[in-house]
DNA sequence: CTGTGTGTTTAGTAGCAACTAAACAAAGTA
DNA sequence: TACTTTGTTTAGTTGCTACTAAACACACAG
């Protein structure tokens, strides 16, 4: 059982990546697919992936396509061969940047934008609302609450903008590798 | 409808944070709870949170506790008052570091460790297996596949270790704020 | 035009996790 | 002791999504 042992180790590795995958809210199949591709020296066809996993063709088909969209795998086609072959990306820093780029289009940035919209809503009608009601007790309280909310939302937006800048710089990098991270670590330790 | 308008804006904001929350795989209720606390000038009791959201007491109870565990909100108790009061953390950089710290205990690091375990499995029995079978065709192929997998897993582990170092440095920081991020951006732009 | 090999789409299923409603626990008050 | 006020736990429901099985689409071969 020498060769079976390699299969067992591969299976463990595949299961580990599956768990990581679902920890990040992604289908387990995506982790499994990436695992088998990552350990395969040559590109694999869809049916070969099916053979090495516990999933059906339909599931593999959809999952491998979203993996390709994320930049985690690459589709190859050999000429004279109707099959598609898939290869794992092995530069994880590339993957990180690819994922960060995809963040724009996602549901996430739409939600972020809604925070910005909340701020302009609060900043609009600056006195009109706050001074309209002349009963001063209620008026003062409402005004204070309004100001408080405006300040808080402004702070949150500033935080998000800062993060957005960071992401933008990262995605704009020509290259990114271990050394890049090392330099950041050095800066932070100082 | 002056005061209703503030409520509407708050409602929009709450919904925005709810969406962000579920985008990150967290319950929508957590985003909603944080939103109402974040916009409230004073700490709120559990029942007050219930009143300002669409969720029941049980859901709020569990969600607000996990929020507290994550460091996103803080529990306060007034003496002579049996109620618990909750306050939103407004330093998001603190929150980020708090969450990064909690990552250790999670299912995630267990999965990461399994990658490390895969590597030691592959590095064990270095020749025993690869040289055992004397049929050279099959032997060579099996050996090459083994070596390839070992290299790949080693690369992945190195990437994870690098990230882990970065996280460790961040959590060890005395302070972290906009300026910290600005410095990193400056370094990367250079 | 039929048949075969490939990938995609769809209808239905199953499992999981958030949530509701209500029972429960605990601690103070009468 | 019973009653009230708080928070927690539990049993059950709902809704979402990954997945399966199978139908479908398409391209090439004979």
């Amino acid at each position: 059982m020498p060769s079976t042992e390699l299969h067992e180790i591969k299976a463990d590795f595949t299961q580990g990546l599956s768990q990581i995958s679902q920890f990040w809210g992604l289908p387990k199949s995506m982790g499994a697919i990436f695992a088998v591709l990552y350990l395969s020296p040559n590109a694999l066809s869809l049916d070969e992936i099916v053979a090495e996993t516990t999933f059906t063709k339909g599931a593999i088909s959809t999952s491998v396509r979203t993996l390709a969209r994320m930049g985690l795998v690459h589709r190859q086609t050999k000429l004279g061969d109707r099959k598609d072959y898939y290869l794992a990306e092995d530069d994880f820093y590339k993957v990180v940047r690819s994922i960060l780029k995809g963040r724009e289009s996602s549901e996430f940035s739409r939600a972020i934008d809604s925070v910005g919209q909340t701020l302009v809503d609060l900043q609009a009608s600056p006195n009109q609302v706050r001074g309209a009601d002349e009963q001063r007790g209620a008026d003062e309280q409402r005004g204070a609450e309004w100001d408080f909310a405006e300040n808080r939302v402004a702070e949150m937006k500033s935080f998000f903008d800062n993060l957005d800048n960071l992401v933008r710089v990262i995605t704009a990098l020509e290259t990114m590798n271990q050394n890049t991270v090392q330099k950041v670590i050095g800066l932070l330790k100082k």
Side-chain angles (χ1 to χ4, degrees), chain A:
Chain A
M1 57 214 60
S3 76
T4 34
E5 189 174 348
L6 181 54
H7 277 91
E8 284 167 16
I9 295 180
K10 277 189 178 183
D12 288 352
F13 179 75
T14 301
Q15 178 169 335
L17 287 207
S18 296
Q19 285 174 230
I20 293 178
S21 180
Q22 80 171 354
F23 177 87
W24 291 105
L26 304 171
K28 275 188 301 181
S29 56
M30 292 179 63
I33 293 169
F34 182 82
V36 308
L37 290 179
Y38 187 71
L39 295 189
S40 166
N42 44 356
L44 297 183
S45 73
L46 206 156
D47 283 317
E48 285 172 316
I49 301 175
V50 171
E52 298 216 31
T53 59
T54 67
F55 301 95
T56 58
K57 209 168 50 159
I60 301 291
S61 173
T62 64
S63 283
V64 84
R65 247 179 310 147
T66 69
L67 276 174
R69 242 182 290 127
M70 291 200 277
L72 276 151
V73 308
H74 302 289
R75 187 181 232 143
Q76 282 186 343
T77 90
K78 298 178 181 174
L79 58 169
D81 190 342
R82 286 208 262 103
K83 291 183 199 166
D84 295 341
Y85 292 88
Y86 294 94
L87 202 66
E89 171 64 58
D90 65 336
D91 184 341
F92 295 111
Y93 297 94
K94 234 184 205 166
V95 170
V96 167
R97 294 173 56 205
S98 165
I99 289 175
L100 288 182
K101 269 180 200 159
R103 145 214 72 103
E104 314 285 355
S105 52
S106 74
E107 210 67 19
F108 177 61
S109 67
R110 289 230 342 264
I112 293 283
D113 292 346
S114 91
V115 173
Q117 185 55 42
T118 300
L119 184 57
V120 307
D121 287 348
L122 286 168
Q123 285 171 339
S125 60
N127 303 319
Q128 155 207 359
V129 172
R130 280 178 248 179
D133 191 352
E134 290 307 326
Q135 299 160 315
R136 44 213 99 295
D139 180 41
E140 281 165 5
Q141 222 171 3
R142 194 189 312 137
E145 201 185 343
W146 188 291
D147 287 344
F148 182 84
E150 186 175 321
N151 284 334
R152 279 273 160 113
V153 175
E155 280 177 34
M156 180 179 281
K157 175 165 164 39
S158 142
F159 174 76
F160 281 155
D161 287 345
N162 210 18
L163 277 197
D164 199 55
N165 272 339
L166 181 60
V167 170
R168 191 164 285 119
V169 170
I170 291 175
T171 56
L173 283 178
E174 346 59 42
T175 69
M176 182 184 179
N177 48 36
Q178 294 97 321
N179 195 34
T180 316
V181 177
Q182 291 301 334
K183 275 195 274 188
V184 172
I185 290 179
L187 173 69
L188 293 178
K189 269 188 174 168
K190 169 67 192 54

